[in-house]
Amino acid sequence: MTNPVVAIVGRPNVGKSTIFNRIVGERISIVEDVPGVTRDRIYSSAEWLNHKFYLIDTGGIDIGDEPLLVQIRQQAEIAIDEADVIIFMVNGRDGVTAADEEVAKILHRSNKPVVLAVNKIDNPEMRDLIYDFYALGFGDPYPISGSHGTGLGDLLDAVARHFPKRGQEEYEEDVIKFCLIGRPNVGKSSLVNAILGEERVIVSDIAGTTRDAVDTTFVREGQEYVIIDTAGMRKRGKIYESTEKYSVLRALKAIERSDVVLVVLNAEEGIIEQDKKIAGYAHEAGRGVIIVVNKWDAIEKDDKTLIEFERKIRDHFPFLDYAPIIFVSAKTKQRLHKLLPLVRMVSEKHAMRVQTNVLNEVIMDAVAMNPTPTHNGRRLKIYYMTQVAVKPPTFVVFVNDPELMHFSYERFLENRIRDAFGFEGTPIKIIARPRK
C-alpha cells in the first residue's frame, strides 16, 4: 500500500503554505540536511496518529503569467489529479468569494473526498464566521488558525477518515519491485520496452506523451520482477508542459512501492537541477538506487567521455555516492543485459542483514583505527551496534551520549560498514542511542 496523497487547495492568500508547514513540521528540512539534495517545497511527507501521507501545497505551484482565476483552476486540477483527499481552504474573515465558488465547482466535479477548512479563525468569538461556508456544499467546515495552530487536530482527523484501509502487501516478499524515475523524455518508456522486449508502452519523442502508470510482472532467470512504470506520468495540457517538476508528484508513489529505483538521466542533455530533485526523493525514501544514463549511443565519445560523465554524476549527486552507475541505450540495447542483474544485486543488498557479532568486530576495528571524537572534554564512547531493520539497512549504535556523535564520525562508521559488507546501491541509516 502506498501512502495516501493529501492536497491543500484554495485561492491565494488563504494561508495554504502556513498550514502546510504546520502539518509537516520539521520534516520539510530533512532532505536539505544532506549535501547536494535540493527539493521543491510544494510536497512533503507528513504523519498524523500513525497515518503517514504525502501533503501537496498547491500554493507553491507557480503557473506563470496566466490570469489569477486560470491559475487557481489549474492548481486545483493538479491537486485533483494527484490527491486521494483534498483540503479545501478558505479565509474565514473574507466570507465566501467568487474564487472560492470557482474552486468549489471544480472540486464537486472531481468526486474526490473534500474536507473544508476555514482558516484565520483565531479565537472562539470568530467561530460564527464559519456558517456562511456551508453554502459551498462540503458539509461541516473545520475552523482552524494557521497563526496559532489551533483546530488542526480535528481537521486531520477528518482527513484521515477518508484514507483507504491498509490491506495486505500487493506482491510476495521475494518479488523485486523497481521503477524508473526521471524527467520527461529521458527515455523511461523506451527502457521499459527494451527491458520487457515488447512494445507495450507508447513511445514518442514528445515529452509527456505516455499514459497512466501500470505495473508489469515478468520473470527473468527464475526471478520474478514487477516494473512500476512511472513513465506513465500523465500530462494534461499546458499546465504540465510548462514545467517538469510535476513528474516528481507521481514518482513519489512509485518510489514508495519499489525496492529499487532507477534514476534515469539523458546522456544528450546532461544533468539538470530537476534530476537532483527527483533523485533526492529516492534517497530520502531509503530505497535502493541505480543511476541509469540512457541514450549513451547518441553522443560523440572518446576514451575519456565515460569517466568524465561519471565524475559529473558524482559531483552533482554526492548524496548518492553508494549508487552504481550504468550507461545504456534503449535504442541499441547497449549494456541492457547488465541492468536486471544489477537491480537484483541492489535489491539483495537493500534487504541484507549482518550478524551482530561480526558487525561489532568491524566497529571495534574502526574505533581502534580512528578513535572517537571529543567535545568539551568529553569523549564519545561506543558500546555496541546492532542492525534493527532492512530496506534500508538500519543500525542502532549504543553510546554514552548521542550528542557526541558528530556527523563526520557517523559517516566514517558508515564507510567502514560499506567496506566490510558492501551494501552497494542502498542507503544506510545509523541511529545513535544512549545505553540504558
Side-chain angles (χ1 to χ4, degrees):
M1 285 284 293
T2 56
N3 291 340
V5 175
V6 177
I8 305 175
V9 172
R11 62 185 175 83
N13 303 317
V14 295
K16 296 189 294 292
S17 295
T18 302
I19 295 300
F20 174 84
N21 288 329
R22 283 243 179 222
I23 293 173
V24 301
E26 295 304 308
R27 294 186 65 97
I28 194 116
S29 63
I30 287 175
V31 168
E32 291 166 352
D33 293 337
V34 180
V37 179
T38 55
R39 75 183 294 166
D40 294 307
R41 286 177 171 260
I42 61 168
Y43 26 75
S44 183
S45 304
E47 188 170 346
W48 176 249
L49 300 179
N50 295 322
H51 293 286
K52 292 183 178 177
F53 58 97
Y54 291 113
L55 191 67
I56 303 173
D57 171 22
T58 60
I61 299 176
D62 179 18
I63 308 296
D65 300 326
E66 297 286 355
L68 191 61
L69 270 179
V70 176
Q71 290 188 40
I72 294 168
R73 189 159 58 245
Q74 290 176 338
Q75 289 174 356
E77 285 168 356
I78 291 169
I80 289 165
D81 264 4
E82 309 300 341
D84 299 297
V85 185
I86 294 165
I87 297 174
F88 177 19
M89 189 171 298
V90 294
N91 182 340
R93 298 181 186 184
D94 293 345
V96 179
T97 68
D100 292 332
E101 291 173 339
E102 178 74 16
V103 175
K105 284 180 197 169
I106 298 166
L107 296 182
H108 276 298
R109 289 197 299 267
S110 75
N111 294 320
K112 293 279 178 87
V114 176
V115 179
L116 180 60
V118 183
N119 193 21
K120 307 193 181 181
I121 306 298
D122 294 335
N123 59 62
E125 291 76 48
M126 301 174 71
R127 284 183 67 92
D128 286 351
L129 296 176
I130 72 172
Y131 296 116
D132 287 350
F133 294 96
Y134 276 97
L136 293 172
F138 294 107
D140 292 336
Y142 286 83
I144 61 172
S145 168
S147 55
H148 300 299
T150 54
L152 288 182
D154 290 342
L155 176 68
L156 291 172
D157 283 345
V159 168
R161 282 196 286 273
H162 293 291
F163 288 165
K165 296 287 184 285
R166 289 205 169 267
Q168 294 180 319
E169 285 296 313
E170 298 167 282
Y171 300 105
E172 296 295 324
E173 182 69 21
D174 57 352
V175 175
I176 297 173
K177 303 179 291 295
F178 69 98
C179 68
L180 293 81
I181 64 170
R183 299 180 282 116
N185 220 28
V186 294
K188 298 184 295 291
S189 296
S190 300
L191 277 171
V192 170
N193 288 340
I195 290 166
L196 295 171
E198 53 182 290
E199 292 289 321
R200 60 165 305 282
V201 178
I202 299 168
V203 180
S204 165
D205 290 335
I206 304 163
T209 53
T210 321
R211 304 293 162 82
D212 274 303
V214 287
D215 290 2
T216 305
T217 305
F218 65 100
V219 177
R220 197 67 52 84
E221 295 182 359
Q223 172 65 52
E224 189 173 355
Y225 297 88
V226 173
I227 189 164
I228 298 164
D229 176 22
T230 57
M233 291 173 187
R234 181 177 58 228
K235 306 295 178 290
R236 284 192 178 170
K238 189 175 178 182
I239 174 58
Y240 278 108
E241 291 162 16
S242 64
T243 175
E244 292 172 337
K245 67 183 172 186
Y246 306 111
S247 55
V248 179
L249 292 168
R250 284 237 166 81
L252 282 172
K253 279 193 167 187
I255 287 167
E256 191 189 327
R257 293 177 56 217
S258 299
D259 302 306
V260 180
V261 176
L262 278 54
V263 177
V264 184
L265 308 178
N266 183 335
E268 291 180 293
E269 296 176 1
I271 300 160
I272 69 166
E273 197 66 20
Q274 184 60 15
D275 293 321
K276 293 158 71 173
K277 289 172 181 171
I278 292 171
Y281 282 97
H283 173 78
E284 184 187 24
R287 299 303 183 254
V289 177
I290 299 167
I291 298 172
V292 180
V293 183
N294 190 27
K295 307 189 183 183
W296 192 240
D297 62 300
I299 61 169
E300 293 288 325
K301 291 181 280 291
D302 58 30
D303 59 344
K304 296 186 181 67
T305 309
L306 189 143
I307 295 167
E308 278 295 304
F309 207 108
E310 193 164 306
R311 182 187 59 76
K312 282 182 186 173
I313 289 172
R314 294 304 182 201
D315 287 346
H316 280 89
F317 299 92
F319 56 97
L320 292 180
D321 58 356
Y322 55 82
I325 302 169
I326 183 169
F327 296 83
V328 303
S329 166
K331 188 174 179 181
T332 68
K333 309 289 192 289
Q334 182 183 13
R335 293 195 194 89
L336 271 186
H337 65 285
K338 296 183 177 179
L339 195 52
L340 283 179
L342 195 55
V343 169
R344 188 171 185 170
M345 183 272 286
V346 169
S347 175
E348 288 168 356
K349 299 293 186 183
H350 191 232
M352 188 167 81
R353 284 193 181 274
V354 177
Q355 289 183 324
T356 300
N357 61 332
V358 180
L359 176 65
N360 281 285
E361 285 177 16
V362 169
I363 295 303
M364 292 308 131
D365 286 347
V367 172
M369 181 171 69
N370 181 9
T372 54
T374 58
H375 182 66
N376 292 336
R378 297 183 64 219
R379 181 175 291 280
L380 173 69
K381 288 183 182 175
I382 292 178
Y383 298 112
Y384 68 99
M385 182 183 279
T386 186
Q387 186 175 356
V388 295
V390 296
K391 297 185 178 184
T394 304
F395 301 89
V396 170
V397 56
F398 290 92
V399 299
N400 57 334
D401 182 356
E403 295 293 317
L404 297 173
M405 176 66 84
H406 191 269
F407 170 79
S408 61
Y409 201 78
E410 182 181 306
R411 183 74 174 179
F412 163 72
L413 293 179
E414 178 186 328
N415 289 336
R416 297 290 74 75
I417 291 170
R418 289 191 183 279
D419 290 345
F421 305 110
F423 287 115
E424 296 92 343
T426 180
I428 289 175
K429 292 185 179 178
I430 296 176
I431 302 163
R433 285 193 184 145
R435 188 176 73 171
K436 293 179 181 176

